Amino acid sequence: AGPTGRVQVGPGQAGAFCASPPPEVAERLRAAASVAIVWSQDAPDGGRAVAALAASLPGEVALYVLPRTPNGPGVASAWYGAGSGRGSDPPEEGEIGALVISGDEAVYDPRVLELAARARFVLTTAMFMGEHTLLSHLVVPGSSYLERDGTTVNLEGRRQRQRRAVTPPAGWDELEFFARLAERFGVAVSPWAELLPAEQAELEPRGERRPIEAKQPLSPPTPPGSGFELVRYRPLFSGPAVERIEELEFQRPAAEVELAWEDAEARGIATGDLVSVQSNGTSRELRARVNRQLLPGVTRIADEFAEGLEAPLSIKPVAKRRA
């Protein structure tokens, strides 16, 4: 908020914050010439509170959504385009005709499982068995992004061509499967993606360069006796494929906790040090990583290492054991 200000809100407080920001923050947001909002966590309302906050601000607002999966914006845009003109939201209650579940990541959204329980017919495309396949009437074996041609869309909305690197075990991917199935019903469906971008998508023209304003003084570190806010995150390259395929293990996040530079300096903690993270009777030993972009009093831990941890957190260096 403001010319050089920054506000960071934890996932649990995002909805309430967007609906009613603190008066001093709301004043700075309204007075700012430009505001950038980065939404990096799923929300029960599907991001409506964040969108409403962006729409209510008078100045220039840029809203960035960081998806929990690779190519998340591209997948969302494709499904939105396929369903445009047919109603953007399913009915809140009652039976629905058919539900198509695309990908194993869909099982992380409780709304998908709720819709599956109300659908007369459920078709799922997935690589692994799970709750979503158990609720399905028909399961089509899925392929990973390395096993099919197509496009990916980055966070800036730029498309780029993607080539198959590995042949699926069946020899063909989902698109070719549906093409063969449609052929049996006399419907012509191309087994190949028809619209592919150039090798490198065109970049948007550069805007005017703004002068860099003076940095504000560093914020004071969190007192040693105070607790830390916890920001849990799901790494971009994650999910069942990364967790279950040995060759992709290198993409899993490290067992570490990120600390602001000011907080680490005040506690004598350096990157790589072993620290004890404690909250509400739960204790974990993780490696510290100093992140100069974090605000004092905030920590970041990957989902799989943050189980059982809740704010406020206590972080202390682990004494080196004698040999």
Side-chain angles (χ1 to χ4, degrees), residues 68-94:
R68 65 187 310 166
T69 60
N71 199 31
V75 174
S77 298
W79 280 109
Y80 181 83
S84 60
R86 305 175 186 175
S88 57
D89 295 315
E92 295 184 359
E93 57 184 18

Side-chain angles (χ1 to χ4, degrees), residues 51-159:
L53 174 63
S56 68
L57 299 177
E60 178 184 345
V61 180
L63 178 58
Y64 301 93
V65 179
L66 301 183
R68 65 187 310 166
T69 60
N71 199 31
V75 174
S77 298
W79 280 109
Y80 181 83
S84 60
R86 305 175 186 175
S88 57
D89 295 315
E92 295 184 359
E93 57 184 18
E95 187 180 63
I96 60 176
L99 177 69
V100 178
I101 302 177
S102 176
D104 299 272
E105 298 290 343
V107 74
Y108 292 111
D109 191 334
R111 295 170 297 181
V112 172
L113 299 180
E114 191 272 334
L115 287 173
R118 296 196 280 125
R120 292 198 301 269
F121 178 77
V122 180
L123 184 150
T124 297
T125 300
M127 294 177 60
F128 303 101
M129 298 292 291
E131 292 183 66
H132 51 326
T133 59
L134 294 176
L135 292 172
S136 304
H137 298 87
L138 175 63
V139 179
V140 178
S143 56
S144 75
Y145 62 93
L146 296 174
E147 298 172 323
R148 55 179 178 263
D149 293 329
T151 62
T152 57
V153 182
N154 67 8
L155 296 178
E156 296 177 338
R158 295 171 180 158
R159 300 184 304 160

Side-chain angles (χ1 to χ4, degrees), residues 63-293:
L63 178 58
Y64 301 93
V65 179
L66 301 183
R68 65 187 310 166
T69 60
N71 199 31
V75 174
S77 298
W79 280 109
Y80 181 83
S84 60
R86 305 175 186 175
S88 57
D89 295 315
E92 295 184 359
E93 57 184 18
E95 187 180 63
I96 60 176
L99 177 69
V100 178
I101 302 177
S102 176
D104 299 272
E105 298 290 343
V107 74
Y108 292 111
D109 191 334
R111 295 170 297 181
V112 172
L113 299 180
E114 191 272 334
L115 287 173
R118 296 196 280 125
R120 292 198 301 269
F121 178 77
V122 180
L123 184 150
T124 297
T125 300
M127 294 177 60
F128 303 101
M129 298 292 291
E131 292 183 66
H132 51 326
T133 59
L134 294 176
L135 292 172
S136 304
H137 298 87
L138 175 63
V139 179
V140 178
S143 56
S144 75
Y145 62 93
L146 296 174
E147 298 172 323
R148 55 179 178 263
D149 293 329
T151 62
T152 57
V153 182
N154 67 8
L155 296 178
E156 296 177 338
R158 295 171 180 158
R159 300 184 304 160
Q160 192 161 3
R161 182 169 183 170
Q162 174 181 294
R163 287 192 176 93
R164 173 184 293 179
V166 181
T167 302
W172 31 264
D173 57 21
E174 300 97 316
L175 185 55
E176 188 169 353
F177 170 85
F178 283 115
R180 295 187 181 197
L181 180 63
E183 184 180 0
R184 302 187 63 176
F185 291 92
V187 179
V189 176
S190 173
W192 310 105
E194 296 180 358
L195 299 177
L196 289 177
E199 292 296 319
Q200 294 182 343
E202 294 184 2
L203 301 180
E204 297 180 359
R206 292 182 180 271
E208 294 184 3
R209 305 187 68 174
R210 298 181 180 178
I212 299 176
E213 302 184 18
K215 292 185 178 180
Q216 293 181 333
L218 293 177
S219 303
T222 303
S226 303
F228 286 87
E229 288 291 330
L230 171 62
V231 174
R232 302 166 63 120
Y233 72 94
R234 186 172 180 80
L236 185 60
F237 291 99
S238 59
V242 175
E243 295 167 2
R244 305 184 191 188
I245 299 177
E246 184 177 353
E247 290 78 4
L248 300 179
E249 283 283 330
F250 72 94
Q251 293 184 333
R252 300 185 71 176
E256 60 186 15
V257 53
E258 296 182 38
L259 293 169
W261 181 87
E262 297 90 338
D263 292 329
E265 185 74 7
R267 290 162 175 76
I269 298 175
T271 295
D273 288 350
L274 189 64
V275 297
S276 174
V277 183
Q278 302 176 1
S279 77
N280 197 25
T282 299
S283 178
R284 294 182 180 275
E285 290 190 357
L286 302 172
R287 293 290 175 182
R289 183 159 76 88
V290 178
N291 185 343
R292 291 181 177 269
Q293 296 181 340

